[in-house]
């Protein structure tokens, strides 16, 4: 039955040795297979946790960006309504009506954009020019805007509404004494594989610098937090007071559609 001759003597020691060698090998193989399975399962679970953490981090960043935007719009609206109020007190109803229409278009455009949207520098400058058109209804020809941006810089991408808070600070804190003429300068250029945006007002130690003197200043805090969420430590915003005025400089990685260059 077992294929063993009836007269064959069976050595118990050899049989035990055979069982240990072959049985132990099979058990070792099974143990290795089980170990490999458990290792692959652990790696799969770890990867799933990493993906879940990444999704959660992305959602948290999006929520933070949405929160920042929800803070920016009332801040903008508050200052814009001051413009309308000033025009009404001057009994300049056509200008007040124009201001309301412009504010409405500006807010509609802002609400249509996602909080995590990036736009071209050219689009950012167009938004700044719209905002200036609103403020010029209040200040008249006393308020001027100079834009100097290279063609290459205009095509680069930045987080939406990254310039407007700095321009708003420049106007709000740079128009002193009230009624005096001032020109805000907005610049954009590529330097060393980086994109640099500048907002300059003629105030000496005031303007954007005054707005940033306190860490609670909304405009600079908004820009810094937004840059942190988009770029981490790869971007910065700095202030400098020079003979020509006070300048806020935004330094970010150079990004074009579908391509990222620079640091």
């Amino acid at each position: 039955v077992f294929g063993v001759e009836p007269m064959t003597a069976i050595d118990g020691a050899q049989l035990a040795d055979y069982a240990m060698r072959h049985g132990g090998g099979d058990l070792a193989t099974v143990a290795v297979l089980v170990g490999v399975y458990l290792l692959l399962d652990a790696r799969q679970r770890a990867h799933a946790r990493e993906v879940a953490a990444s999704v959660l981090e992305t959602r948290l960043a999006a929520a933070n960006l949405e929160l920042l935007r929800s803070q920016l719009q009332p801040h903008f609206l508050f200052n814009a309504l001051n413009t309308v109020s000033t025009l009404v007190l001057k009994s300049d109803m056509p200008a007040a009506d124009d201001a309301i229409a412009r504010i409405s278009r500006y807010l509609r455009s802002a609400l249509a954009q996602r909080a995590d949207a990036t736009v071209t520098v050219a689009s950012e400058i167009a938004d700044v020019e719209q905002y200036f058109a609103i403020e010029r209804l209040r200040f008249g020809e006393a308020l001027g805007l100079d834009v100097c941006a290279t063609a290459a810089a205009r095509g680069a991408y930045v987080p939406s509404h990254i310039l407007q808070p700095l321009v708003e600070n420049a106007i709000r804190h740079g128009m002193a004494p009230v009624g005096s003429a001032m020109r805000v300068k907005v610049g954009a250029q590529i330097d060393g594989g980086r994109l640099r945006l500048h907002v300059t007002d003629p105030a000496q130690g005031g303007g954007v610098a005054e707005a940033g003197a306190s860490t609670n200043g909304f405009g600079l805090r908004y820009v810094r937090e937004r840059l942190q969420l988009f770029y981490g430590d790869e971007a910065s915003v700095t202030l400098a007071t020079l003979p020509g005025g006070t300048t806020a400089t935004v330094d970010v990685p150079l990004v074009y559609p579908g391509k990222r260059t620079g640091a």
Side-chain angles (χ1 to χ4, degrees):
V1 175
F2 297 103
V4 179
E5 293 294 332
M7 301 305 294
T8 300
I10 297 177
D11 188 331
Q14 289 182 351
L15 182 60
D17 180 65
Y18 178 88
M20 288 294 292
R21 284 188 289 108
H22 291 276
D26 291 340
L27 289 174
T29 301
V30 171
V32 169
L33 292 175
V34 170
V36 170
Y37 170 79
L38 292 175
L39 178 61
L40 291 175
D41 183 65
R43 287 185 175 179
Q44 185 176 14
R45 290 174 181 272
H47 177 68
R49 286 194 297 269
E50 289 177 1
V51 171
S54 177
V55 170
L56 182 60
E57 185 178 351
T58 300
R59 289 178 178 176
L60 179 60
N64 287 334
L65 286 169
E66 192 65 44
L67 176 62
L68 283 173
R69 184 173 72 165
S70 70
Q71 294 171 344
L72 175 66
Q73 288 163 355
H75 186 265
F76 159 78
L77 189 58
F78 175 79
N79 289 329
L81 288 177
N82 279 340
T83 295
V84 176
S85 176
T86 299
L87 295 172
V88 170
L89 289 174
K90 291 179 178 179
S91 298
D92 191 348
M93 303 313 294
D97 184 63
D98 188 12
I100 292 172
R102 289 177 181 273
I103 292 168
S104 177
R105 287 196 298 270
Y106 188 91
L107 286 175
R108 188 179 297 113
S109 174
L111 288 170
Q113 289 182 343
R114 288 178 39 165
D116 59 352
T118 57
V119 299
T120 62
V121 171
S123 178
E124 271 294 283
I125 291 174
D127 281 346
V128 166
E129 289 172 339
Q130 287 186 37
Y131 177 71
F132 251 81
I134 295 170
E135 292 297 89
R136 194 172 285 118
L137 291 172
R138 176 182 179 185
F139 296 107
E141 295 303 317
L143 179 62
L145 174 66
D146 296 323
V147 176
C148 181
T150 65
R154 285 176 179 269
Y157 271 59
V158 293
S160 62
H161 298 104
I162 206 71
L163 283 177
Q164 187 267 333
L166 299 177
V167 171
E168 188 173 346
N169 279 343
I171 296 173
R172 183 180 178 187
H173 298 279
M175 289 291 287
V178 176
S180 62
M182 72 166 291
R183 299 194 71 83
V184 174
K185 299 178 182 179
V186 174
Q189 66 271 338
I190 297 169
D191 185 9
R194 307 272 298 177
L195 174 66
R196 290 190 172 88
L197 309 173
H198 308 280
V199 176
T200 302
D201 69 69
Q204 296 293 318
V208 289
E210 180 180 320
S214 168
T215 55
N216 295 322
F218 174 79
L220 284 169
R221 178 175 60 82
Y222 170 87
V223 172
R224 286 193 174 109
E225 290 182 12
R226 195 161 170 79
L227 291 177
Q228 178 67 31
L229 289 169
F230 270 88
Y231 305 107
D233 296 331
E234 294 184 47
S236 65
V237 55
T238 56
L239 295 171
T241 299
L242 302 172
T246 301
T247 299
T249 300
V250 176
D251 185 308
V252 297
L254 181 59
V255 180
Y256 287 107
K259 182 179 180 181
R260 177 168 175 160
T261 59

